[in-house]
Amino acid sequence: MLKAAGLTMAGLLVLGAGAAGWAYWHLNGNIKSVDINNALGDDRPAKPVTSPSAGASASASPLPTGSLNILVLGSDSRSGKENKALGGGDSSGARSDTAMVVHIDAGRRKATVVSIPRDTLVTRPSCPLKSGGSTAVAYGSMFNSAYSVGGAVCAVKTVESITDVRMDHYVEIDFSGFARLVDALGGVTVTLDQDIDDDDSHLHIKAGTRRLDGTQALALARTRHGIGDGSDLGRIGLQQKLVKALLEQISSTDLFTDPARLYTVAEAVTSSLTTDTGLDSLSELVDLGRSLKGLSAADVRTVMMPVVPAPSDHNRVVAKEPAASELWKSLR
């Protein structure tokens, strides 16, 4: 499922407006976090240098304008009745079915969203565990196994290992949160190039411009059968289409004149959100959102990490070199 990078970024703009008193306390308390910096220590790629925005008044808090890299995961969470009803499976475990590295350029006027196929074979590094100790290095392991064995910390470490790009932040949203966010926005409009008839995702829809509710949008994000070669690569194309559509929907929805809807959107986002400790409060999310205010859907480029079929298993892929390394280098 989709942990839509674009919608998460744009949605952050919503979180602070009108949130006062008990509402602020409630929304702030919804956010879950993981202390990734403490868990990983200093054995990581270099951290980009940020700078305050030019022309900020002495009394105003200067907004950062430096480049930023954020790992956004869509988790196939299996906990809770709502997630299970939406396709999360049994009552235990979770998978990172969607992974996107969101790179925001210096100046924060343009962004690149890079999707990493979950079936990519990688060398998964040794990751620290909450219980103590660490996982073993795993060669030729599926990318999404990192989250399964070591949660957010291992997912971040694996991405940094294969990209040599420092992840400044981590954002995760689950099945139910994504569906409720779309519903809170009044749905999302997408244009499909072909009919979709996928029993696995429970989506049966004709080609053309369609208005989707939350359950349908989630199904679209999970659909792969009947699209392209039926692999995760075809699904990524649909997810990226959905990211752009959600950004456009958020931009066109005047939430600030509708306090009830504003609160519903904020509740949907925060109640299903897990972040690193640098984004685990409304004030931090709002500051990030304010720094991205000039970023529109037209300024967001969506790409996929270049891959080729894995020699050992044509149902899996590996990074295509040197194209993949060149892409990651451009984001440093």
Side-chain angles (χ1 to χ4, degrees):
M1 82 132 247
L2 179 69
K3 171 105 41 67
L7 75 88
T8 303
M9 293 304 162
L12 299 180
L13 294 172
V14 171
L15 300 180
W22 71 269
Y24 185 97
W25 175 84
H26 173 71
L27 295 172
N28 201 66
N30 280 343
I31 304 166
K32 300 177 287 293
S33 66
V34 179
D35 191 351
I36 290 171
N37 286 338
N38 184 58
L40 294 184
D42 297 326
D43 185 20
R44 305 177 65 185
K47 188 173 183 178
V49 176
T50 60
S51 61
S53 57
S57 68
S59 60
S61 297
L63 294 174
T65 59
S67 63
L68 204 60
N69 292 299
I70 304 175
L71 176 60
V72 181
L73 291 188
S75 71
D76 175 8
S77 176
R78 311 287 180 96
S79 62
K81 291 181 179 179
E82 193 174 3
N83 278 320
K84 187 173 181 180
L86 289 168
D90 57 36
S91 60
S92 63
R95 299 169 296 186
S96 58
D97 268 8
T98 300
M100 297 179 176
V101 173
V102 180
H103 173 79
I104 301 158
D105 290 356
R108 308 210 175 176
R109 296 284 178 171
K110 292 185 179 297
T112 301
V113 179
V114 184
S115 296
I116 302 176
R118 68 173 189 172
D119 294 341
T120 305
L121 298 182
V122 301
T123 296
R124 191 181 70 227
S126 174
C127 299
L129 297 172
K130 288 182 181 179
S131 57
S134 59
T135 65
V137 175
Y139 299 95
S141 180
M142 278 179 57
F143 169 74
N144 72 340
S145 69
Y147 185 89
S148 298
V149 302
V153 169
C154 196
V156 170
K157 185 166 186 179
T158 300
V159 169
E160 292 184 343
S161 175
I162 66 176
T163 67
D164 196 28
V165 176
R166 171 77 171 237
M167 295 297 110
D168 301 289
H169 292 297
Y170 170 83
V171 175
E172 177 185 336
I173 192 168
D174 66 21
F175 268 16
S176 62
F178 175 74
R180 283 190 283 113
L181 174 59
V182 173
D183 283 336
L185 289 168
V188 62
T189 300
V190 297
T191 299
L192 303 175
D193 300 326
Q194 64 183 91
D195 297 349
I196 296 177
D197 192 18
D198 187 351
D199 289 335
D200 286 354
S201 69
H202 309 295
L203 185 64
H204 304 277
I205 194 168
K206 295 294 184 182
T209 300
R210 300 283 178 260
R211 187 75 172 176
L212 307 181
D213 63 19
T215 300
Q216 291 171 317
L218 176 60
L220 181 66
R222 298 177 60 224
T223 290
R224 65 188 177 108
H225 298 292
I227 299 296
D229 60 1
S231 72
D232 191 45
L233 306 188
R235 171 163 53 188
I236 283 174
L238 292 176
Q239 292 174 348
Q240 292 179 339
K241 184 189 291 284
L242 193 53
V243 166
K244 297 297 286 282
L246 279 164
L247 276 170
E248 290 167 0
Q249 176 65 28
I250 292 170
S251 297
S252 65
T253 304
D254 191 359
L255 293 165
F256 297 101
T257 62
D258 187 346
R261 176 174 284 189
L262 174 63
Y263 183 83
T264 301
V265 170
E267 173 74 11
V269 172
T270 58
S271 63
S272 302
L273 197 66
T274 301
T275 71
D276 66 283
T277 50
L279 283 181
D280 62 354
S281 71
L282 283 183
S283 60
E284 289 165 327
L285 289 171
V286 170
D287 283 347
L288 176 59
R290 288 171 58 216
S291 79
L292 302 176
K293 191 173 183 180
L295 189 66
S296 69
D299 300 318
V300 178
R301 179 173 67 113
T302 56
V303 299
M304 183 178 71
M305 182 182 78
V307 295
V308 294
S312 60
D313 184 350
H314 278 215
N315 291 317
R316 303 288 180 258
V317 296
V318 293
K320 180 181 180 181
E321 297 296 356
S325 292
E326 290 171 353
L327 172 62
W328 297 125
K329 184 178 179 180
S330 73
L331 306 187
R332 292 178 196 137

